[in-house]
Amino acid sequence: MQTGPVVRFLCLFFFSVAAGFSPGQAATNVVPNAGMEIRAMEPEGKPAVTRPALMVSSDIGAEVSGPIVRLTVKQTFRNDSDFWSEGLFRFPLPDNAAVDTMVLTVGDRRIIGTIKEKEEAQRTYNEAVRAGKKAALLREYRPNIFATLVGNIPPHGDVTVEIGLQSMASVEGDTFSWRLPQAITPRYHAEAKATPRVADRFFEGEVFYSADGKANPTSFHARFTAPHAIDALESPSHKLNITGEGKQLKAELAAGAEPANRDLILNWRYRAGEMPSAMLFRETRGEESYLLGLVLPPRGDAPRAVPPRDVTFVIDISGSMSGRSIMEAKVALLSGLDLMAPEDRFDIIAFESNNHPLFGSLRTATPETLHKAKEWVMGLSANGGTEMAPALAAALNETGEGETLRQILFLTDGAVGDEAALFAQVKAGAGKARLFTVGVGPAPNGWFMRKAAEMGRGIHIQIDDLTRAADAMKALYADMARPSLTGLVLDGKGADMAPAALPDLYGTRPVVFALKAGGSGPLVLKGTDGAGRPWQVSLDPASAEKGQGIASLWARRKVEGLMDDAAIRREINANRQAIVDIALEHRLLTPYTSFVAVEEKISRPEKEGLDRQVAEGNLPEGTSAKQFFGPKTAAGLGLHAYAAFLALLAACFFYALARRRTA
């Protein structure tokens, strides 16, 4: 036996395995088919067929007043087949959306949907569809993921479902920003550790993404009736036609309709000097009054000394981050390194299926460590799974020293399916550390980003423009230095407030609260400013502006608080009945309640069967199915090391064998 070549081969294999590891090594496999299969459901025995998908198109209208955005989403299901069909369409909405209306439109008839407990709504829908009646069912699967199910769409006919909801823009200083998610990034489910909220697996196995990325053509138009003159309105995501001026503006997509494949973002700013320091809106519903308040923090004084920081950067390099997302994350991280002071310490953890720490512990920000870090970051590429929990644990376990600011800066698109477990992990493990999240990509999981930062007592920003990433990071660093208001308490005279406790504020972000009024008299908001001085502001409910949908926003925040509590306790259904009671009283869509609408007329002849079709959505712009649905790669350091160890043993064995034969 010629053992020399074998030994050389195995030695070469050993060294290639050992040297071949690098975070984010490129993938090599391609998903075979990113299209959609349609499964025949009825009549029994009919074989499954594949045909062009049921088409959904959308028309979205927004009414904007101050920070409140009233949205109407019209989804038209078009059935071009020769069969009666049942259509399913999954879609995203803002994660703070209070969905309070659904209308089924058939020809000139409008059937108002009713809110019911989820199981009862499903039974009502099923019975109607079996009887041949047109019906629609609207469900929530996550705060930012929903689905519409429409039964008995006639051959070559269409049915429209209209969804109404309240949403809120975010505010920073005098600038408002609102984003409408339009594409769902496929979520990664950590093996065996996922704790889905409700019916998380409903869509498992159903491929519903368009192969050409042109599904769901969507038109959008907005009307601004601002209480104050708007100085600037723009969108970094879409080209708009804008008409009007001052307090009355209109905007619409310049292209008319575009495939829904990225977040639609609107930014606007009040004219200089017209931004009030406080806004209060009131809605009366029956005998109850609901208030929505927005109070800006006091303007900061002279620049303050910032204590040294211990910063752990965590960067997601999983497959979903390929393309624009990883570029934005790397630019943001490099910008963050440039902002490190000589007395600061830092480390970087990159993760996909495995963790890859740069140093493994915090190091002082010297020119040498920063240079090494920048070279390391430049070499990162995206591939593999999204095992976020181990990376979070590693970051949370890195401890600071003395009076340093302990901060974790997390850069990701948030494409994970086990959000609740991650929220609980952050809440339990943060200690003195504060978690700041930086969202990247064309369609990030905004709910995860916002909520994770809340659980970590930090803030969340989104990188929407690569050219503005450095400025965004600079502003975030300044805000991270110290909260502008802490210890906030609202004396609401017995009011039922949501959220129940107010968070610390950073930078020029406002206090936002919603409450069900409990009595008369002013509302008094107290706290401590960034210089340690007492701060207080009084609000008079009698002077509040009239607002619509305030009760829905209050109810939505109450439900969110109950869901957060259940997630932290890791008991998904812990507050179910309380949530159902609020939802039924306020006609609110939740994970435990659904809207259902039924046309009493029987449309489908008894002899006709019914095909179920899943309507296509789009992958986020600039991504491909290969990133998400290909066989898992990125074996990781553990597997590489294991293979290398086996190779080394084999090489030693053959080397020893060769020595014995030549002895």
Side-chain angles (χ1 to χ4, degrees), residues 24-29 185 316-330 351-352 380-386 412-413 415 440-443 620-629 633:
Q25 190 175 348
T28 56
N29 297 291
T185 303
D316 181 351
I317 56 170
S318 62
S320 68
M321 292 282 291
S322 295
R324 170 182 157 183
S325 300
I326 191 67
M327 290 177 61
E328 290 178 346
K330 290 166 70 170
F351 73 94
E352 14 82 340
L380 295 175
S381 59
N383 177 41
T386 313
T412 177
D413 61 0
V440 294
E621 182 184 44
T623 66
S624 69
K626 173 184 175 181
Q627 295 171 220
F628 305 105
F629 305 118
T633 55

Side-chain angles (χ1 to χ4, degrees), residues 353-374:
S353 300
N354 301 286
N355 285 351
H356 310 290
L358 171 60
F359 299 124
S361 61
L362 294 164
R363 301 291 179 86
T364 302
T366 64
E368 293 75 22
T369 56
L370 289 172
H371 177 73
K372 181 177 181 179
K374 291 177 182 178

Side-chain angles (χ1 to χ4, degrees), residues 521-596:
L523 305 173
V524 180
L525 185 62
K526 300 179 181 177
T528 303
D529 71 11
R533 300 169 299 200
W535 175 85
Q536 177 176 312
V537 65
S538 180
L539 302 169
D540 182 7
S543 63
E545 296 180 37
K546 185 178 179 181
Q548 292 186 341
I550 309 300
S552 295
L553 289 172
W554 172 83
R556 178 69 181 79
R557 285 170 167 260
K558 289 288 287 186
V559 168
E560 182 174 328
L562 292 167
M563 294 297 292
D564 290 347
D565 175 70
I568 292 168
R569 293 160 58 186
R570 296 177 182 262
E571 298 177 21
I572 295 174
N573 295 317
N575 297 318
R576 175 177 176 132
Q577 192 55 53
I579 292 170
V580 168
D581 291 344
I582 293 171
L584 295 181
E585 179 183 352
H586 290 271
R587 288 179 49 82
L588 193 69
L589 189 68
T590 72
Y592 304 119
T593 53
S594 303
F595 277 101
V596 61

Side-chain angles (χ1 to χ4, degrees), residues 252-277:
E252 61 182 9
L253 290 184
E258 296 186 39
N261 60 6
R262 63 194 184 280
D263 287 7
L264 189 154
I265 305 166
L266 295 179
N267 298 326
W268 65 98
R269 187 176 64 243
Y270 283 156
R271 191 169 292 167
E274 295 204 15
M275 179 69 182
S277 60

